[in-house]
Amino acid sequence: MKKNELVQKSYEIAKERYQTVGVDVEKALEDLQKISVSIHCWQADDVTGFENLGNLGGGGIQATGNYPGKARNIDEIRQDIEKVLTLVGGSHRLNLHAIYGDFEGKVVDRDEVEASHFTSWMEWAKEKELKLDFNSTSFGHPKSGDLTLANPNKEIRDFWIEHTKRCRAISEEMGKFQNDPCIMNLWIHDGMKDLTVNRYEYRKILEQSLDEIFATEYKNMKDCLESKLFGIGLESYTVGSHDFYLGYGAKKQKIVTLDTGHFHLTESVADKISSLLLFTPEIMLHVSRPIRWDSDHVTILNDDVTDLAKEIVRANALNRVHIGLDYFDASINRLGAYVIGICATQKAFLQGLLEPIAQLRKYEENGQYFERLALLEEAKVLPWNAVWDMFCLKNNIAIGEDYIAEVQQYEKEVTSKR
Ligand code: RNT
Ligand code: ZN
């Protein structure tokens, strides 16, 4: 039997099987189709970007590995993303960092970036039916040091305030151009390697910098703030901790970004969803995979990710959660890494959408906790994979593992020649 027929057949059976637990598979597929993933541009080139400022050093972030074929310029990144889009279903977004501007060989420092440097991205994205999201970039620059927006040194702080303000203005232009809000994420690495006696001071400075940055109100962009537990070289203290941004976000009604790699390893990020939904306007996600620490391994389908997706679906909050990816593995085929992470995220949401939630809630209402636990267990092994294959078939993309060969082919023809 041909693969397509096999998929069709399994799907029909799965559909009936799901009916027995009151789940409408077609509705789940429709909903999955509408979920877009904000694809991070930085997996394509190990967070290098296109600035022409020379070898920056500066720290704050690090990709490890030297797998051949990384994108070396704007055309190659676009080519790679276009290829990725042929291998995944659904319509998506592209998440750009400020260092990925189209600087045309010119030296443009971070306090000089402007919307014109992103015009070609906006036009390209429109052509590819992608919406853009954006990020300020405070790492990898001589002025990055240990402290940027929280730096007591006014000159350095002002430099980063100027950069971040400009990034908001760029995001506004992107949002206007694409007629859909551009989500701008702010992550800074600010912290201390060793014990500090000024925790309060730096946080106070950061609060003031943010107030200054957010003084201008925009209509076509949305701000989000990303915390972190610690960074390499900054192990003792992170100014922008989760408590800090949670407080700031709740007070100022800003979006808080949850990067799944930025918490204690036993902490449940899924559990944060419902609280954030109550006190902050929306949520931005960086779906990643911590290994021992925030190692930014490729997102895979694991309990952390499915729990997260299920919580969002259970809270009926798909319209309030922006789903982005964040990892940069330089040790394997980078394009394949994209496909694995995007599909894993979609699969997690599909599992959430296929949950027999009505029955589970009935059990809970009746205090039938054995029944609830039993059905939760059984739901894990219902034939969601047949529905996933159907999603691939409907989207006219490689089914299941078939993308492996396509990635290999692209490597042979394109990336291995770089
Ligand atoms: C770093 C943060 C941040 C970055 C990107 C490149 O720990 O997760 O989101 O990964 O901005
Ligand atoms: Zn992140």
Side-chain angles (χ1 to χ4, degrees):
M1 201 185 293
K2 273 177 53 197
K3 198 158 192 177
N4 288 7
E5 284 167 39
L6 213 57
V7 170
Q8 191 73 44
K9 224 173 164 180
S10 317
Y11 173 72
E12 293 307 329
I13 296 168
K15 198 161 115 182
E16 280 184 42
R17 179 67 180 89
Y18 270 106
Q19 263 164 20
T20 65
V21 287
V23 172
D24 181 348
V25 164
E26 273 168 21
K27 170 83 172 60
L29 274 180
E30 266 168 43
D31 290 345
L32 182 63
Q33 197 68 39
K34 289 184 226 146
I35 294 180
S36 33
V37 174
S38 189
I39 303 168
H40 57 312
C41 73
W42 51 92
Q43 163 64 42
D45 74 336
D46 316 337
V47 213
T48 311
F50 311 127
E51 283 178 319
N52 303 293
L53 302 175
N55 187 5
L56 292 178
I61 208 157
Q62 200 189 359
T64 54
N66 54 3
Y67 196 83
K70 87 173 196 177
R72 295 162 300 181
N73 52 51
I74 235 170
D75 291 334
E76 289 179 355
I77 284 213
R78 287 180 187 160
Q79 188 185 14
D80 290 355
I81 300 287
E82 283 170 27
K83 180 66 191 175
V84 169
L85 294 174
T86 67
L87 298 172
V88 298
S91 61
H92 300 290
R93 308 177 68 91
L94 181 68
N95 200 2
L96 289 175
H97 242 281
I99 49 174
Y100 288 80
D102 193 350
F103 302 119
E104 296 171 327
K106 290 186 212 92
V107 174
V108 179
D109 207 346
R110 305 261 173 104
D111 61 346
E112 297 165 339
V113 282
E114 51 186 60
S116 66
H117 301 126
F118 293 87
T119 312
S120 73
W121 273 115
M122 293 188 236
E123 281 159 1
W124 172 83
K126 188 175 179 186
E127 206 184 293
K128 303 294 161 203
E129 294 178 7
L130 281 168
K131 305 275 190 238
L132 295 177
D133 292 323
F134 202 59
N135 298 260
S136 50
T137 318
S138 59
F139 52 79
H141 184 279
K143 291 195 170 76
S144 295
D146 292 349
L147 296 164
T148 62
L149 291 177
N151 203 315
N153 177 324
K154 188 169 170 356
E155 202 188 307
I156 295 189
R157 185 171 74 246
D158 284 348
F159 176 85
W160 293 112
I161 290 176
E162 178 63 24
H163 169 69
T164 319
K165 281 183 174 172
R166 283 169 173 265
C167 287
R168 291 184 79 232
I170 294 168
S171 304
E172 172 69 7
E173 288 307 312
M174 284 180 174
K176 223 185 275 173
F177 184 85
Q178 66 196 15
N179 203 13
D180 188 74
C182 168
I183 312 299
M184 184 188 137
N185 188 55
L186 189 159
W187 171 73
I188 55 169
H189 55 274
D190 295 34
M192 287 272 157
K193 180 180 173 71
D194 218 330
L195 302 180
T196 165
V197 291
N198 286 313
R199 286 176 188 261
Y200 182 82
E201 280 311 310
Y202 301 121
R203 291 198 169 123
K204 183 85 201 136
I205 296 174
L206 178 55
E207 184 196 22
Q208 282 163 1
S209 295
L210 292 177
D211 286 350
E212 194 179 329
I213 288 164
F214 296 143
T216 310
E217 299 240 357
Y218 288 118
K219 287 203 183 74
N220 300 290
M221 61 86 64
K222 294 178 183 179
D223 297 293
C224 45
L225 299 161
E226 181 183 6
S227 69
K228 191 166 180 168
L229 194 55
F230 77 96
I232 291 285
L234 300 169
E235 292 87 355
S236 292
Y237 170 69
T238 297
V239 187
S241 61
H242 184 58
D243 311 64
F244 177 89
Y245 287 128
L246 189 59
Y248 194 91
K251 188 168 165 190
K252 304 279 167 71
Q253 287 305 294
K254 292 287 179 194
I255 301 174
V256 173
T257 300
L258 295 175
D259 183 309
T260 57
H262 290 190
F263 296 88
H264 290 283
L265 289 177
T266 51
E267 201 172 343
S268 163
V269 179
D271 182 53
K272 299 178 190 303
I273 296 294
S274 43
S275 301
L276 280 179
L277 286 172
L278 287 169
F279 303 112
T280 56
E282 293 170 23
I283 296 174
M284 174 75 201
L285 296 178
H286 276 186
V287 188
S288 177
R289 179 166 51 115
I291 298 281
R292 313 248 175 242
W293 71 289
D294 175 31
S295 51
D296 292 288
H297 282 61
V298 180
T299 302
I300 56 169
L301 185 64
N302 59 17
D303 286 350
D304 294 342
V305 183
T306 47
D307 286 351
L308 186 65
K310 282 176 185 169
E311 271 306 304
I312 293 163
V313 176
R314 287 171 188 166
N316 196 18
L318 279 167
N319 57 348
R320 288 179 62 199
V321 180
H322 307 276
I323 306 154
L325 297 178
D326 184 12
Y327 50 80
F328 26 96
D329 189 336
S331 74
I332 60 171
N333 183 299
R334 293 173 184 78
L335 200 107
Y338 270 125
V339 185
I340 292 173
I342 298 167
C343 291
T345 307
Q346 289 178 312
K347 285 172 188 163
F349 278 93
L350 177 61
Q351 289 193 32
L353 292 166
L354 288 171
E355 201 169 49
I357 193 68
Q359 184 61 50
L360 285 164
R361 289 207 163 122
K362 215 173 281 166
Y363 285 146
E364 184 157 326
E365 226 173 271
N366 298 336
Q368 293 171 287
Y369 297 157
F370 147 69
E371 291 82 347
R372 179 186 60 188
L373 187 60
L375 187 55
L376 278 169
E377 279 298 283
E378 290 310 312
K380 287 181 188 167
V381 292
L382 283 171
W384 65 270
N385 61 315
V387 186
W388 171 254
D389 282 351
M390 186 44 125
F391 177 75
C392 298
L393 187 64
K394 277 197 164 167
N395 281 277
N396 204 13
I397 55 166
I399 292 164
E401 69 286 358
D402 289 354
Y403 72 83
I404 298 173
E406 295 212 27
V407 171
Q408 286 174 332
Q409 186 70 16
Y410 186 77
E411 173 164 57
K412 203 170 133 206
E413 286 167 10
V414 184
T415 50
S416 66
K417 298 195 174 134
R418 287 178 183 165

